[in-house]
Amino acid sequence: MEPCVRVRVAKCQMLATSLFVLLLGSAMAATAVLSYFGPHFAVISSVSTDRTTYEALHHWAFSAGIALAALLTLGAVLSAAATVRGAGGLMAAAFLSFALVFCALVQAAFWRAHSPTQVEDAVLDAYDRAYERALRSVSGSGRQELVAIQDTFRCCGKRSPLGLLEGSEAGLCQGEEAARQDCLQGIQSFLRAQGNVVSTLIGLGLAFTVYAMLLSSFIWFSIRSGRYSVSQRARSCPPQEPRVYGRIQEGSPSQRPSKADASGGRLSPSRHSGQLLLLRDTHPPTHGSGDAAVSTRM
């Protein structure tokens, strides 16, 4: 494959990768917003009145998701603009954005691998505190918070290993609510589904950022070298030769001068005849030479 063809293929791949990175950034932003303003997480935040571990993780996850989405969107826009315009500075800025996202995603993947149940434990601790307040509450405000959690997660209470509820706990789950699943299991299943979505986004982000960094670095070196044009206005791969050099090449035949031409003193085609012809063409004859030719003929 010729170098210019490789550059064009890299340009097409860079534009496609920028589109997928832009979609990935939108997905990360949507996930961060849903995790912060969604009903399941919002109802847990409402019962966490004090500065608990869940509150810290909640704000950290939202801020990290929005920051990653912004960097991905910025990198996608810069890489697309640099590919279309052939700007090396924009491509370097896009590479820097992708590198920052890659480092952040590596840290997020490391955290997910070593602390897979940290968010789950924080949410369950918040539910346990709400459950204990509901059992000790006399006014009924604590029970209203617990009922809101149970209605959101479609669960009810915490069952014993035998599957039975004690006397004080049985009053929290009556009628159709008693047939719901355990809240601990319901919350765990929901959080694990959300964790799988986050892990998928992290894996896709790592793959796309690595590929985007490779493409952006290749296109940047192509732009800086100046050997190949990455602008869409370029239609030919190799650079055109100068006109003077082309005339010199056209005026240099491969035949060697004959002995008769050499003895007669005539200028025969040689390796430097093209240059002499070019010089002869660049200096037009004067009027004096024309008059001398007319007098000779007469």
Side-chain angles (χ1 to χ4, degrees):
M1 185 181 295
E2 296 182 358
C4 61
V5 178
R6 288 198 297 267
V7 172
R8 291 181 179 178
V9 171
K11 287 170 54 182
C12 296
Q13 292 179 356
M14 189 74 253
L15 292 176
T17 305
S18 300
L19 177 61
F20 283 111
V21 168
L22 185 62
L23 295 177
L24 182 62
S26 302
M28 283 190 176
T31 303
V33 170
L34 289 178
S35 66
Y36 194 81
F37 298 102
H40 295 83
F41 295 97
V43 72
I44 296 293
S45 299
S46 63
V47 300
S48 300
T49 56
D50 52 349
R51 190 67 178 176
T52 59
T53 305
Y54 171 75
E55 287 292 328
L57 288 175
H58 197 200
H59 289 287
W60 176 85
F62 175 74
S63 302
I66 295 299
L68 288 176
L71 285 176
L72 284 173
T73 304
L74 179 63
V77 172
L78 290 177
S79 60
T83 303
V84 173
R85 299 176 58 183
L90 294 178
M91 189 61 70
F95 179 85
L96 180 60
S97 300
F98 292 138
L100 292 176
V101 174
F102 176 76
C103 294
L105 290 177
V106 167
Q107 293 182 356
F110 181 81
W111 172 73
R112 285 285 301 169
H114 286 74
S115 301
T117 61
Q118 186 174 1
V119 177
E120 182 179 331
D121 294 338
V123 175
L124 292 178
D125 290 341
Y127 175 76
D128 288 337
R129 284 189 291 270
Y131 192 80
E132 295 296 331
R133 286 197 303 267
L135 292 178
R136 295 192 303 265
S137 177
V138 180
S139 60
S141 60
R143 293 200 173 191
Q144 292 179 358
E145 295 177 352
L146 183 63
V147 168
I149 296 175
Q150 294 178 159
D151 291 339
T152 303
F153 286 94
R154 305 301 299 173
C155 63
C156 187
K158 298 188 297 182
R159 287 176 173 79
S160 63
L162 299 178
L164 300 176
L165 294 175
E166 298 180 358
S168 59
E169 299 176 355
L172 300 176
C173 299
Q174 298 177 356
E176 297 180 356
E177 297 179 355
R180 295 177 181 176
Q181 64 176 344
D182 185 10
C183 280
L184 297 180
Q185 297 178 358
I187 293 175
Q188 285 178 353
S189 60
F190 174 78
L191 292 178
R192 286 172 183 174
Q194 294 294 319
N196 293 333
V197 173
V198 173
S199 299
T200 303
L201 291 177
I202 290 175
L204 291 176
L206 288 173
F208 279 114
T209 50
V210 170
Y211 194 63
M213 284 191 295
L214 293 176
L215 289 176
S216 59
S217 60
F218 174 76
I219 296 177
W220 183 82
F221 279 116
S222 300
I223 296 173
R224 297 293 295 177
S225 63
R227 294 163 55 190
Y228 315 113
S229 176
V230 296
S231 177
Q232 289 184 345
R233 294 174 296 178
R235 297 182 179 179
S236 60
C237 299
Q240 295 181 356
E241 298 179 351
R243 295 182 178 180
V244 176
Y245 181 75
R247 293 182 62 180
I248 293 174
Q249 293 294 331
E250 291 177 358
S252 59
S254 59
Q255 296 180 358
R256 299 182 64 181
S258 59
K259 296 181 179 180
D261 295 335
S263 60
R266 293 178 298 176
L267 183 61
S268 60
S270 62
R271 184 173 300 176
H272 302 283
S273 61
Q275 299 178 357
L276 296 177
L277 290 175
L278 179 61
L279 294 174
R280 183 180 299 174
D281 294 338
T282 54
H283 297 282
T286 58
H287 295 286
S289 60
D291 296 339
V294 172
S295 61
T296 306
R297 292 179 182 176
M298 293 178 61

